[in-house]
Structure formats: C-alpha cells, structure tokens
Amino acid sequence: MDKNIEYSREKDYKGEGARGFLSKLSKGLMLPIAVLPIAGLFLGIGSGIINIFDTVGLDKETNPWYLIPIIMRDIGNIIFATLPALFCVAIAIAYTDDAGIAAFTGFLGYVVFCVSQAVLIFENVDANGVLINYHILWYDEVPTSVVGQTLGITSLQTSVFGGIAVGFVAAWLYNRFNTLRLPNFLGFFNGTRSVPIIAFMFMPLVAFIFLATWPLIGTWLDSFGQLLLGMNYGFDALLFGIIERALVPFGLHHAFYTPLWFTSVGGQIIAVDPSTGQQLVVSAGDENMWFAIQNYGLDYNSLNTQYWVEANDTILNLTGMSNNYWVFDPNAAGGASTNINDYLLPSQNLDFNSGTNECVYFITSGAHPGQYLQGKYQFMIFALPAAGAAMIMCAKKENREMAMSLIGAAVLTTFLTGITEPIEFTFLFLAPMLYIFHVIMCGISFWVDDLLQVSAGMTFSGGIIDYCLYGILPLATGYNTAAWIIIPIGIIYMPIYYFFFRWYILKFDIQTPGRGDSDDNMKLVSKKDYLESKDTKKENKNLPKGRKGYFDESNPRFERTVSLLGYLGDFDNLKSINACITRLRLSVVDVSKIDEESIKKKLGAKGIMKLSGGSVQVIFGAEADIFKVELQMLKKQGFTYKEWSEKSKNN
C-alpha cells in the first residue's frame, strides 16, 4: 500500500514551481492569522474595560474586578507577542503535509535560533553602566531598536521574518531526513526522530547567518517602510488596497499583506527611556501597532485631535531619535513642548535596563495604524451586498427567488464575516471587467479612510463582526478610532456598486445566477457548507472507538468526496493536497486528467484555476477544507478510486 500511494516530498516540493510554493506559503500564513480574531477580541475588550475602569477611577490595587480585563488583555497580547514562533510552526506544517514532527521541530528550532543569537549579542555601555548600543560580530554599534526580547530571550528583532525563515528550514530538514536510516545501534533515532536532533545542531548556523546579515537587512526594511509610509496624500493605502484585492484570484494576497501587517515594513512603535536613550521596539507592522496602541494606553489621530506629531529638535536630541519618527504627545499640544516630562507615559511591562517606569513613545513617520486594515469595511459590509442585490434584480422574474437564495447566502457571509470569495468569484469568472472595477474601488476605499484619519482595526476579515469589535467598541470605550466615518462612506458605495453592476450585467448580458439557461447547475456558498462540516465531525465522533478517523461508506459525504477524487484523476494524479478558507489547493501530475466540467456541475465548484507547475485551485467555498481532510484520510487508508469503482461495478 505504501509503495503505491507514498511519494517523495522533496521531489514534489521542487516540482511544483513558484505557484505551488506560494500556494503553500499562503496556507502557512493563514494558520496563525486565523487565531488573531479571538486574540484581538480578548485584547480589545480587555483594554476597553480597563480604559473604562480608569476613567471612572477604580483602584487597580484593591478592586478584584480589574483582574478579569487584565487577564483578557494579557491572553490576547501574548498571541501577538509570540507571532514569530507561531508563524514558524505554521510554515513548517504547511510545507510538510501537516506533519506534527515538523511542527515540533519548528518550535524547537526557533528556541535554539533565539538562544544562539543571545550568546553573540554584547552590550556597549557608557562610564555609568548605561546601555548605548550593541556589539554583534563585526558590527560595533548596532542600535538598541534592532535587538529585543523574543520568548523572553535577547535576540534580533527579526519579527515574523525570522519565524518564517526557521519554519522553512524546519520543513526542509523534515522533508530531507524523515526517512533517514542509521546504523542498528542508533536505530531508535531512525526516521522522524532524527529530524529535531538535526535541527538542534543546524539552527545555530541559521542564527549566525541572521547575526551576520540582519543588522543591514533590518535597517533596509525600516528604511523601506519609512519610504512607503512617507508617500503623500495616502497613496500607500491606495496602492495597498488595489494590489491586495488584485492578488485574491491568484491566492497570493496573504503573502503580500503579511509583511505590512506584522513587520517593520508596515511601520513600528518604539519606546525610549529618555534617561539612557535605550530604545525598545514595542510593536512592528500595521496590525500589531493598532493593538499595541490600546495595550499601552495610547490613542489614535483623528480629524479633530492629533496625538502622533512631529517632534521638535529638543525632544529628538534628548531621546536620540531621528525625524523619521513621530512622538506621542498625550496632551495633543502639537509637539510644541520642549519639556520631556510632558511626553512621559507608563512603560507598562517594557524591560528597560534602568528599570524606569516611564518612557516616551515614537511611531514611524507617516504611519497611521489601521491604514492597511480598515478599507475593507466599506466594500464588505456595504458594496458587495449592493452588488449582490444588483445580480438578484437582474435575474429573470421566474428565477429571482432562486437567485435570491443563492446570492443572499453569499452576501450574508460577506456581511457578517468578510469572506468575499463566493460572491467575488461569481462575477470574476463571468465578467472580469466587473472585478477590475471592484479592485479599483477597493483601493479608493483604503485611500479615503486614510485621508479622513480613520483608525479602525481588523483581524481576520472585514465584516460587521470585526467592525463592531475593532471599530465601534474602541470608539465607545474612549479611543479615537473615528470608525463612524466608515458608515457614510459605505452608504455612498452602495448605489455606486448597485447601479454599475446592474448596468453592466444588462448591457453586456452577463449570465449571473437566474439569467442563464444553466442556473440549476450553479451554486454559491451557503450555510449548508458549514452544516456539512458539523455533520462530518458528528459522524466521526459516533464511529466505534476503533473507527475514529476512518472515512468510508458509513459517512454521508463518502460518495461526494470519492466522486471528486475520480474527477481529479485518482491519487496517482495528486502530488499534494492542501486547502485555504475557500479553495482546495492541489499539485497534480497531469492537469488534463481533471474533469473540470463534472467538478463544476456535479459538485458545485465555482471555478477551477489551473496555474503553472501543475498547481490547481478548486474554488468550493467553506467546503474546501472538508474535502482536504477527507481526501487525506482516504489517501492514508490506501484507498484508490480505480479499485473502488471496479468493486462497485462487480457488486
């Protein structure tokens, strides 16, 4: 059985080409990002409640009610603080077909990676023992902002870049050595047991490479972020919105926004101890900065109030910062004061060498936390539902009820959760020009929000749930997010989308649901997809103890999944099976063996994208991940479509 169905991971990894590589990268990036909604929920609500308690004057030391929001805030905050390690584990999983040993190797490797750096990072102090900068290898004066604490270990501030790099190394080591055979007296360490041991010895080399290069790379990334954020009139937000949405059809948008959300390319907040000049990076990346502002009791700029302002020369000289950073002025006095005490704020739990409890906060000049997040709300909550309404109204009268049920489910999903692919792909494949219009309008949405100083946050999506949690809730608890501005902008977007879509569909006779002759074969994502997922889990739990994790005829989804396997050309044609939120991502031997028409008409797929290098993406909506798990279970069981169909014929 193993001989027939197992394959060389290393061979397929190289053979999938750039598209397959990026497809797996998107899968890996989405795993930790999917955790952020609950982390952001705890952090946002906890910080909001603390802000309310502070406003009404409750005493933190004596009031036990303070413990609840503090616990909520810290639980959420630890997820953002450990993102590099989480990305490391996720990347290791994505490139090894969900191998648990690879995940363990990734985490172990990341710890060794950080500790190995700590040994070669030395402090440069003045005559009074105050930290000035660091000495790393041949770099004599490394700024304090380049070094920080990761998992409690002094190491380079590589952010998620370091985690992703170690994750790649862990995946490579697993794919290379998971079948290693050692002499008999070392037989216990054969196979997968050898991988963590090899990683343990290999990661110090990776750490040395980073020590030798990161002081330069980190400086370059900071400079690039400053250049990007320095674009006048919000053009950086405009470009982000256009590029991010344009990459959605190719599944590459995750790889695009991750550096901007979680690294210094998207800006960073730095805390400075004015007594010593020590600088600590509080957070890096647009999303991290947005949450850090609440966590550290800071606030957002708005049309009425400016907290982040240009620092005067006196403050810059006292803190050792450059004019590439804005200072946080808690008095909103425009940064006019030259008294450093007017800028001091509690340092929270920041570990300054002097032990000071107060510091000054700076942010990358031009950074506007939320600028790469908030633009989604207008088109997810308002515009795409209006486009859906236009498609419904363009349907034939006798088919309008059917169109409403199909499109309505997709619109509701978009409105609530921000999952847009079901409705976006409906008009992407039928009328690409409509998608081009949509991409441009998305960019304008980000641009207008940035110009109007909106600072609404986001985690996973841009639906009404995120808007209430990260727009309205912070506003209601005293933070100046200006999230209310999103509503009038969204209301303006609704008629623009409705009438343009309606005009285009009627003008060019676009066969949207309810207009063509094959509407019976068309299907959009509905709650059924989610219910099927729950039914699968329930069915699995009800199996006898020895059958848990087994997929056969007793499962109501068996024939549907086996049919898909047949349409894909059986396991002989599948090199790898993965999925993101709405797409089944495959690497195949021969694309011509895929029965595209049957997958669409009989299984309800909304589209199939055939990319270079044998990469194929089947757009199923929420059912994609269910198909992935079931196909992987069948593969492990040694199941083949050919044998099953022959048995079915004989019976």
Side-chain angles (χ1 to χ4, degrees), residues 203-274:
M203 288 305 169
L205 174 61
V206 179
F208 182 84
I209 293 173
F210 268 80
L211 287 168
T213 59
W214 193 258
L216 295 177
I217 295 175
T219 302
W220 179 84
L221 289 175
D222 291 349
S223 299
F224 179 75
Q226 292 167 10
L227 177 65
L228 183 66
L229 294 168
M231 289 185 176
N232 293 326
Y233 309 110
F235 283 127
D236 56 326
L238 173 67
L239 289 175
F240 173 86
I242 291 175
I243 296 172
E244 190 270 344
R245 202 53 15 186
L247 291 176
V248 167
F250 308 100
L252 302 177
H253 51 303
H254 309 307
F256 170 69
Y257 66 64
T258 296
L260 292 162
W261 282 14
F262 304 114
T263 75
S264 60
V265 176
Q268 59 184 348
I269 295 176
I270 295 177
V272 181
D273 178 359

Coordinates of all heavy atoms in Angstrom, one line a residue, residues 203-274:
M203 N 20.3 24.8 13.6 CA 19.8 26.1 13.8 C 20.9 27.2 14.3 O 20.7 28.4 14.0 CB 18.7 26.1 14.8 CG 17.4 25.5 14.2 SD 16.9 26.3 12.7 CE 15.6 25.1 12.2
P204 N 21.9 26.8 15.0 CA 22.9 27.8 15.3 C 23.6 28.4 14.1 O 23.9 29.6 14.1 CB 24.0 27.0 16.2 CG 23.2 26.0 16.8 CD 22.1 25.6 15.8
L205 N 23.7 27.6 13.0 CA 24.2 28.1 11.8 C 23.2 29.2 11.2 O 23.7 30.2 10.7 CB 24.4 27.0 10.8 CG 24.8 27.4 9.3 CD1 26.2 28.2 9.4 CD2 24.9 26.2 8.4
V206 N 21.9 28.9 11.2 CA 20.9 29.8 10.7 C 21.0 31.1 11.6 O 20.9 32.2 11.0 CB 19.5 29.2 10.8 CG1 18.4 30.2 10.3 CG2 19.4 27.9 10.0
A207 N 21.2 31.0 12.9 CA 21.3 32.1 13.8 C 22.5 33.0 13.4 O 22.4 34.2 13.4 CB 21.3 31.7 15.2
F208 N 23.6 32.3 13.1 CA 24.8 33.1 12.7 C 24.6 33.8 11.4 O 25.1 35.0 11.3 CB 26.0 32.1 12.6 CG 27.3 32.8 12.2 CD1 28.1 33.3 13.2 CD2 27.7 32.9 10.9 CE1 29.2 34.0 12.9 CE2 28.9 33.5 10.6 CZ 29.7 34.1 11.6
I209 N 23.9 33.2 10.5 CA 23.6 33.9 9.2 C 22.8 35.2 9.4 O 23.0 36.2 8.9 CB 22.9 32.9 8.2 CG1 23.8 31.8 7.8 CG2 22.4 33.7 7.0 CD1 23.1 30.7 7.0
F210 N 21.8 35.1 10.3 CA 21.0 36.2 10.7 C 21.8 37.3 11.4 O 21.7 38.5 11.1 CB 19.8 35.8 11.5 CG 18.6 35.5 10.7 CD1 18.4 34.3 10.0 CD2 17.6 36.5 10.5 CE1 17.3 34.0 9.3 CE2 16.4 36.2 9.8 CZ 16.3 35.0 9.1
L211 N 22.7 36.9 12.3 CA 23.5 37.8 13.0 C 24.4 38.6 12.0 O 24.7 39.8 12.2 CB 24.4 37.1 14.1 CG 23.6 36.6 15.3 CD1 24.5 35.7 16.1 CD2 23.2 37.8 16.2
A212 N 24.9 37.9 11.0 CA 25.8 38.5 10.0 C 25.1 39.4 9.0 O 25.7 40.3 8.5 CB 26.5 37.4 9.2
T213 N 23.8 39.2 8.9 CA 23.1 40.0 7.8 C 22.0 40.9 8.3 O 21.7 41.9 7.7 CB 22.5 39.0 6.8 OG1 21.5 38.1 7.4 CG2 23.5 38.2 6.1
W214 N 21.3 40.5 9.4 CA 20.1 41.2 9.8 C 20.4 42.7 10.2 O 19.5 43.5 10.0 CB 19.4 40.5 10.9 CG 18.0 41.1 11.1 CD1 17.6 41.9 12.1 CD2 16.9 40.9 10.3 NE1 16.3 42.3 11.9 CE2 15.8 41.6 10.8 CE3 16.6 40.1 9.1 CZ2 14.5 41.6 10.3 CZ3 15.4 40.1 8.6 CH2 14.4 40.9 9.1
P215 N 21.5 43.0 10.9 CA 21.7 44.5 11.1 C 21.6 45.3 9.9 O 21.1 46.5 10.0 CB 23.1 44.5 11.7 CG 23.2 43.2 12.4 CD 22.5 42.2 11.5
L216 N 22.0 44.8 8.7 CA 21.8 45.5 7.5 C 20.4 45.4 6.9 O 19.8 46.4 6.5 CB 22.8 45.0 6.5 CG 24.3 45.3 6.8 CD1 25.2 44.7 5.7 CD2 24.6 46.8 6.9
I217 N 19.9 44.1 6.9 CA 18.5 43.9 6.4 C 17.5 44.6 7.2 O 16.6 45.3 6.6 CB 18.2 42.4 6.3 CG1 19.2 41.7 5.4 CG2 16.8 42.1 5.9 CD1 19.1 40.2 5.4
G218 N 17.6 44.6 8.5 CA 16.6 45.2 9.3 C 16.6 46.7 9.1 O 15.5 47.4 9.0
T219 N 17.8 47.3 8.9 CA 17.9 48.8 8.7 C 17.2 49.1 7.3 O 16.5 50.1 7.2 CB 19.3 49.2 8.7 OG1 19.9 48.9 10.0 CG2 19.4 50.7 8.4
W220 N 17.5 48.2 6.3 CA 16.9 48.4 5.0 C 15.4 48.3 5.0 O 14.7 49.1 4.4 CB 17.4 47.4 4.0 CG 16.9 47.5 2.6 CD1 17.3 48.4 1.7 CD2 15.7 46.8 2.1 NE1 16.5 48.2 0.6 CE2 15.5 47.3 0.8 CE3 14.9 45.8 2.6 CZ2 14.5 46.8 0.0 CZ3 13.9 45.3 1.8 CH2 13.7 45.8 0.5
L221 N 14.8 47.3 5.8 CA 13.4 47.2 5.9 C 12.7 48.4 6.6 O 11.7 48.9 6.1 CB 13.0 45.9 6.7 CG 13.3 44.6 5.9 CD1 13.0 43.4 6.9 CD2 12.4 44.4 4.7
D222 N 13.4 48.9 7.6 CA 12.9 50.1 8.3 C 12.9 51.2 7.3 O 11.9 52.0 7.3 CB 13.8 50.4 9.5 CG 13.6 49.4 10.6 OD1 12.7 48.6 10.5 OD2 14.4 49.4 11.6
S223 N 13.9 51.4 6.5 CA 14.0 52.5 5.5 C 12.9 52.3 4.5 O 12.3 53.3 4.1 CB 15.4 52.5 4.9 OG 16.4 52.7 5.9
F224 N 12.7 51.1 4.0 CA 11.7 50.9 3.0 C 10.3 51.2 3.6 O 9.5 51.8 2.9 CB 11.7 49.4 2.6 CG 10.6 49.1 1.5 CD1 10.8 49.5 0.2 CD2 9.5 48.4 1.9 CE1 9.8 49.2 -0.7 CE2 8.5 48.1 1.0 CZ 8.7 48.5 -0.3
G225 N 10.1 50.8 4.8 CA 8.8 51.1 5.5 C 8.6 52.6 5.6 O 7.5 53.2 5.3
Q226 N 9.7 53.4 5.9 CA 9.6 54.8 6.0 C 9.3 55.4 4.7 O 8.6 56.4 4.6 CB 10.9 55.3 6.6 CG 11.1 55.0 8.1 CD 12.5 55.2 8.6 OE1 13.3 55.8 7.9 NE2 12.8 54.7 9.8
L227 N 9.9 54.9 3.6 CA 9.7 55.4 2.3 C 8.3 55.2 1.9 O 7.6 56.1 1.3 CB 10.6 54.7 1.3 CG 10.5 55.1 -0.2 CD1 10.8 56.5 -0.4 CD2 11.4 54.2 -1.1
L228 N 7.7 54.0 2.2 CA 6.4 53.7 1.8 C 5.4 54.5 2.5 O 4.4 55.1 2.0 CB 6.1 52.2 2.1 CG 4.7 51.6 1.7 CD1 4.5 51.6 0.2 CD2 4.5 50.2 2.3
L229 N 5.6 54.7 3.8 CA 4.7 55.4 4.7 C 4.8 56.9 4.4 O 4.0 57.7 4.8 CB 4.9 55.1 6.2 CG 4.6 53.7 6.6 CD1 5.1 53.4 8.0 CD2 3.1 53.5 6.5
G230 N 5.9 57.3 3.8 CA 6.2 58.7 3.5 C 5.5 59.2 2.3 O 5.6 60.4 2.0
M231 N 4.8 58.4 1.6 CA 4.0 58.8 0.4 C 2.9 59.8 0.8 O 2.2 59.6 1.8 CB 3.4 57.6 -0.3 CG 4.3 56.7 -1.0 SD 3.4 55.4 -1.9 CE 4.8 54.6 -2.8
N232 N 2.9 60.9 0.1 CA 1.9 61.9 0.5 C 0.5 61.5 0.1 O 0.3 60.7 -0.8 CB 2.3 63.2 -0.2 CG 3.6 63.8 0.4 OD1 3.9 63.6 1.6 ND2 4.4 64.4 -0.5
Y233 N -0.5 62.1 0.8 CA -1.9 62.0 0.4 C -2.4 60.6 0.4 O -3.4 60.2 -0.3 CB -2.2 62.6 -0.9 CG -1.6 64.0 -1.1 CD1 -0.5 64.3 -1.9 CD2 -2.1 65.1 -0.3 CE1 0.0 65.6 -2.0 CE2 -1.6 66.4 -0.4 CZ -0.5 66.6 -1.3 OH 0.0 67.9 -1.4
G234 N -1.8 59.7 1.3 CA -2.4 58.4 1.4 C -2.2 57.4 0.3 O -3.0 56.4 0.2
F235 N -1.3 57.7 -0.6 CA -1.2 56.9 -1.8 C -0.7 55.5 -1.5 O -0.9 54.5 -2.2 CB -0.2 57.5 -2.8 CG -0.9 58.6 -3.6 CD1 -0.3 59.9 -3.7 CD2 -2.1 58.4 -4.3 CE1 -0.9 60.9 -4.4 CE2 -2.7 59.4 -5.0 CZ -2.1 60.7 -5.1
D236 N 0.0 55.3 -0.3 CA 0.4 54.0 0.1 C -0.8 53.1 0.4 O -0.8 51.9 0.0 CB 1.4 54.0 1.3 CG 0.8 54.8 2.5 OD1 0.0 55.8 2.2 OD2 1.0 54.4 3.6
A237 N -1.8 53.7 1.0 CA -3.0 52.9 1.3 C -3.8 52.6 0.0 O -4.3 51.5 -0.1 CB -3.9 53.7 2.3
L238 N -3.8 53.6 -0.9 CA -4.4 53.3 -2.2 C -3.8 52.2 -2.9 O -4.5 51.2 -3.4 CB -4.3 54.6 -3.1 CG -4.8 54.5 -4.5 CD1 -6.3 54.2 -4.6 CD2 -4.4 55.7 -5.3
L239 N -2.4 52.2 -3.0 CA -1.7 51.1 -3.7 C -2.0 49.7 -3.0 O -2.1 48.7 -3.6 CB -0.2 51.4 -3.7 CG 0.2 52.5 -4.7 CD1 1.7 52.8 -4.5 CD2 -0.1 52.1 -6.1
F240 N -1.9 49.8 -1.6 CA -2.2 48.5 -0.9 C -3.5 47.9 -1.2 O -3.6 46.7 -1.5 CB -2.1 48.8 0.6 CG -2.5 47.6 1.4 CD1 -1.5 46.6 1.8 CD2 -3.8 47.4 1.9 CE1 -1.9 45.5 2.5 CE2 -4.2 46.3 2.6 CZ -3.2 45.3 2.9
G241 N -4.6 48.8 -1.2 CA -5.9 48.3 -1.5 C -6.0 47.7 -2.9 O -6.7 46.6 -3.0
I242 N -5.4 48.3 -3.9 CA -5.5 47.8 -5.2 C -4.8 46.5 -5.4 O -5.3 45.5 -5.9 CB -5.0 48.8 -6.2 CG1 -5.9 50.0 -6.3 CG2 -4.8 48.2 -7.6 CD1 -5.4 51.2 -7.1
I243 N -3.5 46.4 -4.9 CA -2.7 45.2 -5.1 C -3.3 44.1 -4.3 O -3.3 42.9 -4.8 CB -1.3 45.5 -4.6 CG1 -0.6 46.6 -5.5 CG2 -0.4 44.3 -4.6 CD1 0.7 47.1 -5.1
E244 N -3.7 44.3 -3.0 CA -4.2 43.2 -2.2 C -5.4 42.6 -2.8 O -5.5 41.3 -2.9 CB -4.6 43.8 -0.8 CG -4.9 42.7 0.2 CD -6.4 42.4 0.3 OE1 -7.2 43.1 -0.3 OE2 -6.7 41.3 0.9
R245 N -6.4 43.3 -3.3 CA -7.6 42.8 -3.9 C -7.3 42.1 -5.3 O -7.9 41.1 -5.7 CB -8.6 43.8 -4.1 CG -10.0 43.4 -4.1 CD -10.6 42.5 -3.1 NE -10.0 42.2 -1.9 CZ -10.4 41.3 -1.0 NH1 -11.5 40.6 -1.3 NH2 -9.8 41.1 0.1
A246 N -6.3 42.7 -6.0 CA -6.0 42.1 -7.3 C -5.3 40.8 -7.2 O -5.4 40.0 -8.1 CB -5.0 43.1 -8.1
L247 N -4.7 40.5 -6.1 CA -4.0 39.2 -5.9 C -4.9 38.1 -5.4 O -4.5 36.9 -5.4 CB -2.8 39.4 -4.9 CG -1.6 40.2 -5.4 CD1 -0.6 40.4 -4.3 CD2 -1.0 39.5 -6.6
V248 N -6.1 38.5 -5.0 CA -7.1 37.5 -4.4 C -7.3 36.3 -5.4 O -7.3 35.2 -5.0 CB -8.4 38.2 -4.0 CG1 -9.5 37.1 -3.7 CG2 -8.2 39.0 -2.7
P249 N -7.6 36.6 -6.7 CA -7.9 35.5 -7.6 C -6.7 34.5 -7.7 O -6.9 33.3 -8.0 CB -8.1 36.2 -9.0 CG -8.5 37.5 -8.6 CD -7.8 37.9 -7.4
F250 N -5.5 34.9 -7.4 CA -4.3 34.0 -7.5 C -4.0 33.4 -6.2 O -3.0 32.6 -6.1 CB -3.1 34.8 -8.1 CG -3.4 35.5 -9.3 CD1 -3.7 36.9 -9.3 CD2 -3.5 34.9 -10.5 CE1 -4.0 37.6 -10.5 CE2 -3.7 35.5 -11.7 CZ -4.0 36.9 -11.7
G251 N -4.7 33.8 -5.1 CA -4.4 33.3 -3.8 C -3.1 33.8 -3.2 O -2.6 33.2 -2.3
L252 N -2.6 34.9 -3.7 CA -1.3 35.4 -3.2 C -1.4 36.6 -2.3 O -0.4 37.2 -1.9 CB -0.4 35.8 -4.4 CG -0.2 34.6 -5.4 CD1 0.6 35.2 -6.6 CD2 0.6 33.5 -4.8
H253 N -2.6 37.0 -2.0 CA -2.8 38.2 -1.2 C -2.3 38.1 0.3 O -1.8 39.0 0.9 CB -4.3 38.7 -1.1 CG -5.2 37.6 -0.8 ND1 -5.3 36.4 -1.4 CD2 -6.2 37.5 0.2 CE1 -6.3 35.6 -0.9 NE2 -6.8 36.3 0.1
H254 N -2.3 36.8 0.8 CA -1.8 36.6 2.1 C -0.3 36.9 2.2 O 0.2 37.5 3.2 CB -2.0 35.2 2.6 CG -3.4 34.7 2.4 ND1 -4.5 35.4 2.9 CD2 -4.0 33.6 1.8 CE1 -5.6 34.8 2.6 NE2 -5.3 33.7 2.0
A255 N 0.4 36.5 1.2 CA 1.9 36.7 1.1 C 2.2 38.2 1.0 O 3.2 38.6 1.5 CB 2.5 35.9 0.0
F256 N 1.3 38.9 0.4 CA 1.5 40.4 0.2 C 1.3 41.2 1.4 O 2.1 42.0 1.8 CB 0.6 40.9 -0.9 CG 0.5 42.4 -1.1 CD1 1.6 43.0 -1.6 CD2 -0.6 43.1 -0.7 CE1 1.6 44.4 -1.7 CE2 -0.6 44.5 -0.8 CZ 0.5 45.1 -1.3
Y257 N 0.2 40.9 2.1 CA -0.1 41.8 3.3 C 0.6 41.4 4.6 O 0.7 42.2 5.5 CB -1.6 41.9 3.5 CG -2.3 40.7 4.0 CD1 -2.1 40.1 5.2 CD2 -3.4 40.2 3.2 CE1 -2.7 38.9 5.6 CE2 -4.1 39.0 3.6 CZ -3.8 38.4 4.8 OH -4.5 37.3 5.3
T258 N 1.1 40.2 4.7 CA 1.8 39.7 5.9 C 2.9 40.6 6.4 O 3.0 41.1 7.5 CB 2.2 38.3 5.8 OG1 1.1 37.5 5.6 CG2 3.0 37.8 7.1
P259 N 3.9 41.0 5.5 CA 5.0 41.9 5.9 C 4.5 43.3 6.4 O 5.0 43.8 7.3 CB 5.9 42.0 4.7 CG 5.5 40.8 3.9 CD 4.1 40.6 4.1
L260 N 3.4 43.8 5.7 CA 2.9 45.1 6.1 C 2.1 45.0 7.4 O 2.1 46.0 8.1 CB 2.0 45.6 5.0 CG 2.7 45.9 3.7 CD1 1.8 46.0 2.5 CD2 3.5 47.2 3.8
W261 N 1.5 43.9 7.7 CA 0.7 43.8 9.0 C 1.6 43.5 10.2 O 1.3 43.9 11.3 CB -0.3 42.7 8.8 CG -1.5 43.1 8.0 CD1 -1.7 44.2 7.2 CD2 -2.8 42.4 8.0 NE1 -2.9 44.2 6.7 CE2 -3.6 43.1 7.1 CE3 -3.2 41.2 8.5 CZ2 -4.9 42.7 6.8 CZ3 -4.5 40.8 8.2 CH2 -5.4 41.5 7.4
F262 N 2.7 42.7 10.0 CA 3.4 42.1 11.1 C 4.9 42.4 11.1 O 5.6 41.9 12.0 CB 3.2 40.6 11.1 CG 1.8 40.2 11.1 CD1 1.2 39.5 10.1 CD2 1.0 40.5 12.2 CE1 -0.1 39.1 10.1 CE2 -0.4 40.1 12.2 CZ -0.9 39.4 11.1
T263 N 5.4 43.3 10.3 CA 6.9 43.6 10.3 C 7.0 45.1 10.2 O 6.1 45.9 9.9 CB 7.7 42.9 9.2 OG1 7.4 43.6 7.9 CG2 7.3 41.5 9.1
S264 N 8.3 45.6 10.4 CA 8.6 47.0 10.3 C 8.3 47.6 9.0 O 8.4 48.9 8.8 CB 10.0 47.2 10.8 OG 10.9 46.6 9.9
V265 N 8.1 46.8 7.9 CA 7.8 47.4 6.6 C 6.5 48.2 6.8 O 6.3 49.2 6.1 CB 7.6 46.3 5.6 CG1 7.1 46.8 4.2 CG2 8.9 45.5 5.4
G266 N 5.6 47.8 7.7 CA 4.3 48.5 7.9 C 4.4 49.5 9.0 O 3.4 50.1 9.4
G267 N 5.7 49.8 9.4 CA 5.9 50.8 10.5 C 6.1 50.1 11.8 O 5.9 48.9 12.0
Q268 N 6.6 50.9 12.8 CA 6.8 50.4 14.1 C 6.7 51.4 15.2 O 6.8 52.6 14.9 CB 8.2 49.7 14.2 CG 9.3 50.6 13.9 CD 10.7 49.9 13.9 OE1 10.8 48.7 14.4 NE2 11.7 50.5 13.5
I269 N 6.3 51.0 16.4 CA 6.3 51.9 17.6 C 7.5 51.5 18.4 O 7.8 50.4 18.7 CB 5.0 51.6 18.4 CG1 3.8 52.1 17.5 CG2 5.0 52.4 19.7 CD1 2.4 51.8 18.2
I270 N 8.2 52.6 18.8 CA 9.4 52.4 19.6 C 9.3 53.2 20.9 O 8.8 54.3 20.9 CB 10.7 52.9 18.9 CG1 10.9 52.1 17.6 CG2 11.9 52.9 19.8 CD1 12.1 52.5 16.8
A271 N 9.6 52.5 22.0 CA 9.6 53.2 23.4 C 11.0 53.6 23.7 O 12.0 52.8 23.5 CB 9.0 52.3 24.4
V272 N 11.2 54.8 24.2 CA 12.5 55.3 24.5 C 12.6 55.7 26.0 O 11.7 56.4 26.5 CB 12.9 56.5 23.6 CG1 14.3 57.0 24.0 CG2 12.8 56.2 22.2
D273 N 13.7 55.2 26.7 CA 14.0 55.7 28.0 C 14.8 57.0 27.9 O 16.0 56.9 27.5 CB 14.7 54.6 28.8 CG 15.1 55.0 30.2 OD1 14.8 56.1 30.6 OD2 15.8 54.2 30.9
P274 N 14.2 58.1 28.2 CA 15.0 59.4 27.9 C 16.2 59.5 28.9 O 17.1 60.3 28.5 CB 14.0 60.5 28.2 CG 12.9 59.8 29.1 CD 12.9 58.4 28.7

